[in-house]
Amino acid sequence: NALVFSNKPPMKTIHKRSSSMALWVACLASFRGGRSTSVMAAAFTSGRQPSKTRAPFLNTLIRQKNSLSSVMKSTATSSIATDLEKSLHVVHPSYDVIQKDVVEEYGAYCTIYRHKKSGAELMSVATDDDNKVFGITFRTPPSDSTGVPHILEHSVLCGSRKYKTKDPFVQLLQGSLQTFLNAFTYPDRTCYVVASQNTKDFYNLVNVYTDAVFHPRAITDPMVHAQEGWHLELENKDDPLTYKGVVYNEMKGVYSSSDSLLDRESMRS
């Protein structure tokens, strides 16, 4: 049985590959109820390569090892799928279940809910992934090209009613365990997304972001819009006035890129 490996002292000439194969023999012997021979064990622990006469037995061991691995992987996959499927049956008294579906290409179990009071829609996606992701998306179709949705996106992350710091976004980037933290403006919507593999950190990120989008400091402080959008600056009294602003400078870079201009015109066409 597998205890055959403790009957002889280890040899100084054991090969790395041979010792690992010896371990597989031991594991296989234990798995099969101890039905193994000391012949192959002696061959592997001695550091010698098995002779051609032993090749068929070696191939049998490898096939059985691969078969065992396949069974274990299949069992684990089935267990994970069962756990994920349970997410499709989660209900909440404040929400109506609108739709359920499974995106097999990604192993994603999806449920769409609608909040009874506000009508807001929520999509829950369960996958075999260590990352926990949360996002809020608002419809922000623009009426012109002044960039108001983009300026609002930046302004929202400049402090809130609960978190009064001037720039919580930068502090979260530096001091949290986030694996993704950002916000972005599309031609018709604005998204605020956070992700973390640590549960406590994840809920902290969600708390900061939800308070930011629903109670931003920019509502009561007009200087936030001036800082993030555009304003006039004067370094010295004799210098001409210059335009400054976070979004203003960001869009100067975008409009100087030929690729960005091509993408923008393609979406408009």
Side-chain angles (χ1 to χ4, degrees):
N1 54 35
L3 295 179
V4 69
F5 298 102
S6 63
N7 291 339
K8 293 184 179 182
M11 305 285 289
K12 294 184 178 180
T13 57
I14 290 181
H15 295 244
K16 289 184 179 179
R17 184 174 179 181
S18 300
S19 59
S20 62
M21 284 303 298
L23 179 60
W24 272 114
V25 176
C27 293
L28 188 61
S30 300
F31 178 73
R32 300 186 63 195
R35 294 194 303 274
S36 183
T37 64
S38 59
V39 178
M40 288 302 296
F44 287 125
T45 54
S46 65
R48 299 195 306 269
Q49 295 295 327
S51 64
K52 293 183 179 180
T53 57
R54 299 190 183 110
F57 183 62
L58 175 60
N59 292 335
T60 301
L61 288 176
I62 293 175
R63 284 196 300 270
Q64 290 174 335
K65 181 264 292 185
N66 291 337
S67 176
L68 174 60
S69 298
S70 299
V71 170
M72 294 176 66
K73 287 181 181 179
S74 177
T75 303
T77 302
S78 177
S79 176
I80 291 171
T82 301
D83 292 339
L84 293 176
E85 190 175 358
K86 292 178 182 178
S87 67
L88 297 177
H89 307 293
V90 175
V91 295
H92 192 280
S94 299
Y95 291 84
D96 291 323
V97 177
I98 306 302
Q99 184 179 351
K100 300 179 182 180
D101 202 355
V102 179
V103 184
E104 295 182 357
E105 293 87 344
Y106 295 99
Y109 292 73
C110 309
T111 307
I112 298 179
Y113 302 87
R114 179 180 290 123
H115 190 239
K116 294 178 180 179
K117 187 174 181 179
S118 66
E121 292 186 347
L122 183 147
M123 184 176 187
S124 171
V125 181
T127 62
D128 181 25
D129 195 311
D130 292 333
N131 279 294
K132 302 162 184 61
V133 185
F134 175 82
I136 306 178
T137 301
F138 296 94
R139 294 190 183 100
T140 54
S143 57
D144 51 40
S145 296
T146 55
V148 170
H150 193 181
I151 295 172
L152 288 176
E153 174 221 311
H154 280 251
S155 300
V156 159
L157 297 178
C158 288
S160 63
R161 187 169 64 188
K162 187 185 295 185
Y163 303 98
K164 302 183 184 299
T165 178
K166 183 179 179 181
D167 204 343
F169 180 76
V170 174
Q171 292 189 24
L172 288 174
L173 282 174
Q174 297 173 347
S176 72
L177 300 175
Q178 53 83 22
T179 53
F180 187 85
L181 184 74
N182 213 336
F184 23 85
T185 303
Y186 288 97
D188 60 346
R189 63 192 183 278
T190 303
C191 309
Y192 302 87
V193 184
V194 300
S196 178
Q197 294 185 0
N198 181 281
T199 301
K200 185 174 182 179
D201 181 65
F202 170 70
Y203 283 113
N204 180 57
L205 294 173
V206 171
N207 198 316
V208 174
Y209 258 50
T210 51
D211 195 61
V213 298
F214 292 120
H215 308 290
R217 182 171 65 93
I219 293 177
T220 57
D221 188 354
M223 294 303 294
V224 173
H225 297 286
Q227 170 187 293
E228 299 299 319
W230 64 270
H231 58 272
L232 293 169
E233 277 193 11
L234 181 66
E235 295 291 338
N236 300 303
K237 65 177 183 178
D238 296 326
D239 294 339
L241 291 171
T242 58
Y243 285 102
K244 297 287 185 177
V246 177
V247 175
Y248 176 77
N249 291 331
E250 186 176 303
M251 294 310 296
K252 281 175 63 177
V254 170
Y255 281 112
S256 64
S257 168
S258 57
D259 291 339
S260 297
L261 292 174
L262 179 60
D263 289 341
R264 188 174 296 272
E265 292 301 322
S266 298
M267 286 190 291
R268 288 178 176 177
S269 61

